[in-house]
Amino acid sequence: MPRIHWPIIGGALATILLTFPLAALCALLFRFPVPFASYESGWSAVPHALAAVHLYGTLGGFVLLGFLGGLGGVVAHRMGRPDTWHIWQWTISLAAVVAFCAVILLATLDYIIGPW
């Protein structure tokens, strides 16, 4: 059974890395907010969404995502032990859920707080 620090590190890194393809998918299928522009969608919005994730992450989003992914790693360690394989399955699954929620929150923020 791995020590608890490996699922924490893995969960933090997986959450940050999974945000990029999920944002691209969100921009392709729905929409995604692009800084200094507006909400964009379609194939032409995918590179802009990736750049937007990089900008949002640099401004503090990666710290928050890493923290939440690390918490997911702690939960995964508690749920999956003593089997190492189940710990990593839970870690990646929870990291994907956190990244998905973050992307959807950004994509629907104007519905939640109103137009800005």
Side-chain angles (χ1 to χ4, degrees):
M1 178 171 65
R3 291 190 224 168
I4 195 167
H5 67 276
W6 289 117
I8 292 172
I9 294 168
L13 291 175
T15 302
I16 292 168
L17 293 176
L18 285 171
T19 305
F20 286 95
L22 289 174
L25 186 65
C26 184
L28 183 63
L29 299 177
F30 180 52
R31 65 182 188 162
F32 197 78
V34 176
F36 309 115
S38 180
Y39 286 97
E40 294 185 12
S41 62
W43 283 105
S44 63
V46 171
H48 298 156
L50 295 175
V53 169
H54 184 264
L55 177 68
Y56 296 144
T58 304
L59 294 176
F62 290 152
V63 173
L64 180 62
L65 287 173
F67 176 74
L68 294 174
L71 285 179
V74 170
V75 170
H77 188 269
R78 302 273 312 202
M79 291 172 61
R81 65 181 171 180
D83 187 13
T84 305
W85 178 249
H86 285 128
I87 292 172
W88 286 111
Q89 283 181 326
W90 278 109
T91 300
I92 300 302
S93 298
L94 292 174
V97 167
V98 169
F100 178 78
C101 289
V103 167
I104 293 300
L105 178 69
L106 280 175
T108 60
L109 193 60
D110 65 331
Y111 295 137
I112 298 169
I113 64 170
W116 37 298

